[in-house]
Amino acid sequence: MTDHASDTPQAAKGQGQAMWGGRFSAKPAELMQAINVSIGFDKRLWAQDLAGSRAHARMLISQGVIASADGDEILKGLDTIEGEIAAGTFPFRDEYEDIHMNIEARLRELIGPTAGRLHTARSRNDQVAVDFRLWVRDACDRSVGQLEALQKALLAQAEAHADALMPGFTHLQPAQPVTFGHHLMAYVEMFGRDASRFRDARARMNECPLGAAALAGSPFPIDRHQTAASLGFDRPTANSLDSVSSRDFALEALSAASITATHLSRLAEEIVLWTTPMFGFIKLTDAFTTGSSIMPQKKNPDAAELIRAKVGRILGSLTTLTVVMKGLPLAYSKDMQEDKVPTFEAFDALELALLAMAGMVADLTPNTEVMAKAAGAGFSTATDLADWLVRTLNMPFRDAHHVTGSAVKTAEGLGVDLADLTLEQFQAIEPRISQDVYAVLTPAASAASRMSYGGTAPAQVRAQIARWKEVLA
Ligand code: ARG
């Protein structure tokens, strides 16, 4: 069919002449091509580009803008191209700059000059806008799925260890006993909000820019509602200038990704801490650790460290695209071609981090004895003593706090825990303290007593696990 193609004046200009080359008499400089070419990275949009082209072609046919026979030829050609890409035989060529012109050029080789009718009522500006939106929408959907898988891994561990005591920290100092299940469920909440941010972003971005054409809309009788519906969008975008010049849908997805990455990095940091022998709270198997080439005893939590670091790349992508977009006059500018690499990189990193974190969470085994022992250290039930003084002796909390402080000071001086003080020692501080006080001084009693909604009592933790299981079912 290449002979057909050479009938057109445009194609007659021969190899290397760009598709927009009508008014040009010389080829671009090599450096111009080097800075301009994007096929190396935007080939990742091939599926979205084909989907957009099919929706556009079908609409042009049903609106009578192009003849059915031409439209069918175009659709068949697009099928062939899809087969070639799937088979790895499609020629991605730098000389055709980007994915849009690579596909159109190949279509012309396959079906001849009819290929040129596909670009009626369309521009690369609305084409790339719809392709990229479709890609980001898919990325948001994938992130939601990966977040839910991670939540399920956390839920399984939380359910298995709903009663397992561990120290709860503030300032990374022992604060009050909590359960391991409760601690893990905190991340289930965070990742749940992350998933909802991706859902919100998706809902807001789900408008179709196709048909905005270059910037001003089209004089052809196109049906933008049809193309929007056929690509799964809720409606067409309502302003053609905005359609081709906005990338806030990507910024929003990247900010959701950045927040997710900060949550991942916090859990990763805890895994790093918990696996160090100084904590010894959890163990990872060989599957999620690496050894040292010099220190035979080492088992390093590299996956956790790399997840902790990914936030740099992901937040960097948000920064990159924000700076690219800042100060751009309406409508399209080529600056916007720089939207893809950071977005692809961010979601590649996020996907890997989410999958690795889910794997690592499923892999970990808590050392419940070590954690329970640590749960009682550092006078972690001091608040329980103060609360007991308030409840039993009707003391104002501030006074109870002071009495408890004295008890801690005494115990610390003797090198013992609060529960090891004798009744006489307690009564020397506050004569009304009775034997009952010992019941509230164990970490288990402390945790079990925190029955307020969302508290660490195992019964509360189980209720939240049950709720989340239903949400994620
Ligand atoms: N490769 C371009 C991009 O990614 C496609 C749009 C180009 N439009 C144009 N008028 N040069 O942004």
Side-chain angles (χ1 to χ4, degrees), residues 258-459:
S258 298
I259 296 170
T260 303
T262 61
H263 290 158
L264 283 168
S265 80
R266 295 182 76 176
L267 179 53
E269 165 67 5
E270 301 214 276
I271 291 174
V272 170
L273 284 174
W274 293 341
T275 50
T276 191
M278 285 77 179
F279 269 80
F281 284 6
I282 63 167
K283 269 208 164 59
L284 293 170
T285 70
D286 294 354
F288 280 93
T289 46
T290 59
S292 156
S293 54
I294 176 168
M295 298 165 284
Q297 85 284 11
K298 289 298 284 283
K299 236 183 154 184
N300 298 327
D302 296 42
E305 295 165 273
L306 288 163
I307 292 169
R308 187 173 58 183
K310 291 289 183 207
V311 66
R313 196 185 286 242
I314 295 168
L315 184 58
S317 291
L318 172 60
T319 307
T320 300
L321 186 54
T322 304
V323 175
V324 166
M325 294 309 295
K326 180 204 162 291
L328 278 190
L330 303 189
Y332 178 85
S333 294
K334 197 63 174 263
D335 308 50
M336 289 160 72
Q337 178 163 288
E338 293 286 315
D339 56 2
K340 291 165 208 67
V341 170
T343 307
F344 293 160
E345 263 192 13
F347 277 95
D348 287 348
L350 184 69
E351 167 159 10
L352 201 51
L354 284 168
L355 296 175
M357 184 56 92
M360 202 162 36
V361 167
D363 183 73
L364 68 83
T365 312
N367 192 339
T368 49
E369 267 163 49
V370 170
M371 282 201 288
K373 191 152 175 270
F379 309 105
S380 66
T381 56
T383 319
D384 299 274
L385 172 56
D387 290 345
W388 183 88
L389 295 169
V390 169
R391 262 185 283 117
T392 316
L393 306 181
N394 197 25
M395 260 189 201
F397 183 79
R398 275 289 153 240
D399 298 348
H401 187 283
H402 192 78
V403 169
T404 305
S406 305
V408 167
K409 200 169 165 198
T410 305
E412 197 172 32
L414 297 168
V416 298
D417 281 335
L418 273 180
D420 300 326
L421 291 179
T422 63
L423 191 56
E424 290 69 38
Q425 285 165 334
F426 272 123
Q427 286 173 344
I429 299 161
E430 164 53 60
R432 289 174 297 164
I433 292 179
S434 67
Q435 185 68 34
D436 305 350
V437 78
Y438 291 100
V440 302
L441 296 182
T442 67
S446 170
S449 74
R450 290 191 158 66
M451 275 296 287
S452 52
Y453 182 83
T456 200

Side-chain angles (χ1 to χ4, degrees), residues 38 42 97-98 100 124-125 128 247 332 334 336-337 339-340:
S38 59
D42 66 19
E97 218 175 291
D98 58 22
H100 324 295
R124 270 191 296 153
N125 297 349
V128 74
R247 293 293 182 269
Y332 178 85
K334 197 63 174 263
M336 289 160 72
Q337 178 163 288
D339 56 2
K340 291 165 208 67

